[in-house]
Amino acid sequence: MHNLRNYILFLAILGMGLSSCSDFRKIQKSDDWEKKYDAAIQYFEQEEYYKSSVLLEQILPIIKGSAKAEKANFLYAYTYYHEQSYLLASHYFKTFYDTYGRSDLAEEARFMYGYSLYMDSPRYNLEQTSSKQAIVALQGFINRFPQSEFVPKATQALDDLQVKLEKKAYEKAFLYYKLKKFQTGEYLKAALVAFDNFQDDYPDSKYVEEIRYLEIEAMYKLAEVSIASKKKERYTEAIRFYQDFIETYENSEFLKKAEKIYESSLNEIRKLNT
């Protein structure tokens, strides 16, 4: 009996679905743009975003310049956002505020342009073009609408994006140390440049302490593989890095390792002097 009730319920739901699809196809084939417009709004409110976008796409060229075009274009951008087509959503939100700059919806559209790019931003270890574009767009939004209700959400998104870019930069710099077999002189020089750039770009990062320790280690290893005339200069530079490091991080977890490099650098300089 229980299985029979489930089967009847399944048939009822299937029938409703087929009826809904049939209604949508009829509207889609209709020449009545007002009917399509009303149906598109209704589908949007029912969260059937694909159907709404199909109908809106059909009528947007027809209603261009009319009173209803503004709302239709705004909802059209949102259909892509809700369908998780964030790059297309960002495009249509930008098109909206470029076209309807004086609209009451322009502020939200400008925010959603940046936020859609943020949602399109990939994991930190992938190419970050969308992240950088999102940062520019969201910061531009905050600058233009500092009192907007969307500012807290934009600020949080900016923080997330900065963390993502910071982690990618850290991984890129640390890559020189993960691949030990490539620690030649040129590679170590490149590592030192990467460490220096990271500190310039992210001076408040939680990774700076580790990066500054790795800088000591990289300079020491560079001294080891250097020609005789460069060794003393580079061991001395490793000592300078160490001294700068302990002034800032006197209780660092890397302190013992740094002290060993410092002592070894002093010993190597003594050898070179004699």
Side-chain angles (χ1 to χ4, degrees):
M1 190 70 176
H2 178 72
N3 289 338
L4 179 61
R5 282 201 302 270
N6 286 343
Y7 181 67
I8 293 171
L9 179 61
F10 169 75
L11 289 177
I13 294 171
L14 180 62
M16 289 170 63
L18 291 173
S19 174
S20 175
C21 288
S22 176
D23 290 342
F24 172 68
R25 289 196 189 96
K26 287 178 182 176
I27 297 168
Q28 190 180 4
K29 292 177 181 179
S30 170
D31 293 328
D32 187 343
W33 69 264
E34 288 185 321
K35 185 176 182 180
K36 287 184 178 181
Y37 176 86
D38 292 338
I41 302 299
Q42 187 175 1
Y43 281 130
F44 187 92
E45 290 171 351
Q46 293 171 351
E47 299 182 5
E48 294 191 58
Y49 300 114
Y50 172 74
K51 291 179 181 179
S52 180
S53 70
V54 169
L55 297 178
L56 288 170
E57 186 173 13
Q58 287 183 333
I59 65 172
L60 281 174
I62 301 170
I63 65 175
K64 186 176 181 180
S66 71
K68 293 184 176 181
E70 181 181 321
K71 183 176 180 179
N73 276 283
F74 187 70
L75 294 184
Y76 186 58
Y78 257 118
T79 61
Y80 282 106
Y81 177 82
H82 289 303
E83 287 287 298
Q84 299 181 10
S85 296
Y86 298 120
L87 204 54
L88 280 171
S90 71
H91 168 75
Y92 286 113
F93 280 121
K94 186 177 187 302
T95 300
F96 180 89
Y97 76 71
D98 283 343
T99 306
Y100 302 99
R102 296 182 180 180
S103 167
D104 292 340
L105 300 170
E107 178 184 321
E108 183 175 350
R110 194 176 182 100
F111 164 70
M112 286 304 300
Y113 162 60
Y115 199 77
S116 297
L117 288 170
Y118 161 68
M119 293 298 290
D120 188 60
S121 174
R123 289 180 317 212
Y124 78 92
N125 56 337
L126 300 175
E127 209 282 323
Q128 294 296 313
T129 299
S130 288
S131 298
K132 293 172 184 175
Q133 290 175 338
I135 287 172
V136 172
L138 289 168
Q139 190 60 62
F141 170 79
I142 292 171
N143 294 344
R144 182 161 182 173
F145 302 101
Q147 304 304 319
S148 172
E149 64 178 295
F150 301 109
V151 164
K153 198 170 180 179
T155 302
Q156 183 59 59
L158 276 174
D159 290 344
D160 293 346
L161 290 164
Q162 284 296 141
V163 168
K164 188 179 292 189
L165 293 182
E166 179 183 314
K167 189 168 185 182
K168 183 173 178 64
Y170 164 77
E171 289 285 345
K172 182 180 178 182
F174 193 53
L175 180 65
Y176 297 107
Y177 266 63
K178 286 200 277 192
L179 303 175
K180 300 277 185 186
K181 65 181 180 178
F182 292 116
Q183 289 190 355
T184 62
E186 291 305 312
Y187 207 83
L188 289 163
K189 288 177 188 175
L192 286 163
V193 170
F195 295 151
D196 196 44
N197 289 340
F198 183 89
Q199 292 175 71
D200 287 342
D201 293 339
Y202 306 100
D204 300 320
S205 170
K206 66 179 181 179
Y207 300 115
V208 166
E209 179 181 343
E210 183 179 2
I211 289 292
R212 288 187 65 180
Y213 163 71
L214 291 173
E215 200 170 35
I216 302 168
E217 192 175 289
M219 184 56 73
Y220 178 81
K221 289 181 177 180
L222 179 59
E224 283 187 313
V225 299
S226 295
I227 59 175
S229 62
K230 291 283 187 181
K231 284 183 178 292
K232 183 177 179 180
E233 174 191 338
R234 286 169 178 169
Y235 282 125
T236 302
E237 190 71 358
I239 290 169
R240 186 181 70 79
F241 284 166
Y242 164 78
Q243 291 169 337
D244 290 344
F245 179 80
I246 61 171
E247 283 183 13
T248 308
Y249 306 105
E250 57 183 13
N251 297 313
S252 173
E253 63 177 295
F254 303 106
L255 192 58
K256 288 186 178 179
K257 290 181 179 180
E259 285 173 347
K260 286 182 180 179
I261 295 173
Y262 169 68
E263 290 167 4
S264 294
S265 297
L266 289 174
N267 287 332
E268 292 300 327
I269 289 173
R270 289 190 197 103
K271 291 177 186 177
L272 290 167
N273 287 338
T274 58

